[in-house]
């Protein structure tokens, strides 16, 4: 009954790459009233976001705040019960949720509590898993044959294998892990340092005791010769008007070009990093009991970061996979899942 008098406000928060992406959607009797988007960055991004959202929350008592889980300790497992010992060890200290009676979502209880505390000013109604986002976004694909699905964000990369709507394998990675390590084991790396003998450092130094008289140093005579320089101001003028000196505009263009190159290198490195993670996931899957002589031929990637071209090339040329990349607006997917959950309340 109350829904006839008040609009529903759905708020989605996607925390990624040091920023907060916010989407606000207002509905009344399932009719869209408005949609607002905003991104908040910097040290005060959370406070700025709360101030921005306060006016929407005050519009109606029917508001729902949903967050995409940004924390690293989360994942998904096949089925909702009877997990093997390794799986049980993995989900110790986690909160679990059975999804559609087919597969299990889990997340660190400590991290969930921390999120609840962090967002206590707003209050969180839903915290969604990246794997739920993938299931919803690729709903037209996962009911088909065996394939790999991935969600590419700036800070994370979530990978899941589905066959006929059933989850077969999943893993959530953070992009902050160091790349360039072995595929089989990144954790068993030992650091080393190259030592430098103290005697060598001493030999490089100069002892004042070895100098009998500072007056005997030729360098003092060379310093006296500085008086022969006619006009130091002339040298400054020459440097000021040198053809090698860049103008302000040239410096600005050079700096802008340097930033573009850095962005391109970051995208290149991130694409290669994601390629490594897919390769590692396949190696783990093929080596486990879940494989059952099945091999991935097709990969679907939901790209929220704006990369993908190099990743597609790596997967096609190195692993001979068929690759489809779709751009995803994660905030829109969070809103859609919020609406589904709200209807079930």
């Amino acid at each position: 009954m109350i829904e006839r008098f008040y609009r529903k406000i759905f708020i989605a928060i996607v925390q990624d790459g040091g920023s907060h992406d916010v989407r606000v959607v207002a509905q009344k009797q399932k009719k869209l009233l408005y949609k607002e988007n905003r991104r908040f960055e910097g040290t005060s991004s959370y406070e700025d976001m709360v101030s921005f959202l306060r006016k929407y929350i005050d519009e109606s008592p029917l508001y729902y705040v949903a967050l995409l889980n940004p924390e690293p300790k989360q994942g998904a497992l096949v089925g909702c019960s009877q997990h093997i010992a390794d799986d049980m060890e993995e989900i110790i200290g986690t909160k679990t949720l059975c999804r559609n009676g087919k597969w299990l979502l889990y997340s660190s209880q400590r991290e969930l509590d921390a999120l609840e505390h962090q967002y206590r000013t707003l209050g969180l109604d839903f915290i969604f898993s990246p794997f739920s986002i993938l299931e919803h976004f690729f709903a037209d694909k996962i009911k088909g044959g065996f394939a790999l699905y991935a969600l590419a964000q700036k800070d994370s990369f979530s990978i899941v294998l589905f066959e006929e709507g059933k989850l077969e394998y999943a893993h959530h990675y953070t992009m902050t892990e160091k790349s360039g390590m072995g595929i089989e084991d990144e954790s068993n790396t030992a650091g080393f340092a190259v030592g430098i003998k103290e005697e060598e450092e001493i030999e490089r130094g100069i002892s004042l005791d070895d100098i009998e008289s500072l007056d005997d140093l030729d360098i003092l005579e060379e310093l006296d010769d500085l008086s022969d320089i006619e006009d130091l101001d002339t040298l400054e003028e020459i440097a000021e008007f040198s053809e090698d000196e860049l103008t302000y505009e040239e410096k600005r263009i050079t700096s802008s070009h340097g930033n573009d190159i850095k962005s391109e290198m970051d995208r290149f490195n991130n694409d290669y990093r994601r390629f490594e993670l897919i390769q590692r996931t396949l190696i783990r899957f093929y080596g486990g009991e879940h494989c059952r002589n099945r091999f991935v031929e097709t990969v679907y990637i939901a790209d929220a970061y704006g990369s993908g071209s190099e990743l597609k090339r790596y997967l096609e040329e190195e692993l001979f996979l068929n690759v489809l990349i779709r751009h995803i607006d994660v905030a829109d997917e969070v809103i859609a899942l919020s609406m589904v959950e709200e209807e079930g309340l």
Side-chain angles (χ1 to χ4, degrees), residues 196 248 284 294 309 315 333:
I196 300 177
Y248 171 78
R284 288 174 173 173
R294 292 175 297 175
S309 58
L315 294 172
E333 297 301 312

Side-chain angles (χ1 to χ4, degrees), residues 102-113:
K102 297 179 180 179
W103 45 288
L104 190 75
L105 291 170
Y106 67 87
S107 185
S108 165
Q109 183 65 61
R110 179 177 296 180
E111 291 178 346
L112 291 176
D113 291 341

Side-chain angles (χ1 to χ4, degrees), residues 315-339:
L315 294 172
E316 290 176 341
E317 295 181 1
E318 300 295 330
L319 301 181
F320 309 104
L321 296 169
N322 301 316
V323 182
L324 172 66
I325 296 179
R326 287 183 183 175
H327 171 72
I328 182 174
D329 187 320
V330 179
D332 264 354
E333 297 301 312
V334 171
I335 290 289
L337 287 177
S338 298
M339 292 179 176

Side-chain angles (χ1 to χ4, degrees), residues 141-210:
K141 301 295 183 183
I142 65 170
K143 293 180 181 179
F146 186 58
L148 182 146
Y149 301 83
L151 173 61
Q153 295 182 269
K154 187 172 183 179
D155 286 345
S156 64
F157 196 50
S158 306
I159 301 175
V160 61
L161 282 73
F162 277 108
E163 184 175 32
E164 297 180 356
K166 180 184 176 184
L167 183 143
E168 299 291 340
Y169 188 82
H171 201 88
H172 179 74
Y173 299 96
T174 58
M175 292 298 292
T176 55
E177 295 177 9
K178 294 181 180 179
S179 59
M181 298 183 180
I183 293 296
E184 295 182 359
D185 189 4
E186 283 187 339
S187 59
N188 296 329
T189 56
F192 66 92
V194 179
I196 300 177
K197 294 182 179 180
E198 293 182 5
E199 291 80 8
E200 293 178 355
E201 291 294 330
I202 295 174
E203 289 175 3
R204 293 177 184 175
I206 299 176
S207 174
L208 292 178
D209 296 335
D210 296 334

Side-chain angles (χ1 to χ4, degrees), residues 213-226:
S213 174
L214 290 175
D215 293 335
D216 294 337
L217 293 178
D218 293 336
I219 191 170
L220 294 178
E221 296 179 1
E222 294 177 4
L223 290 173
D224 291 337
D225 292 339
L226 289 176

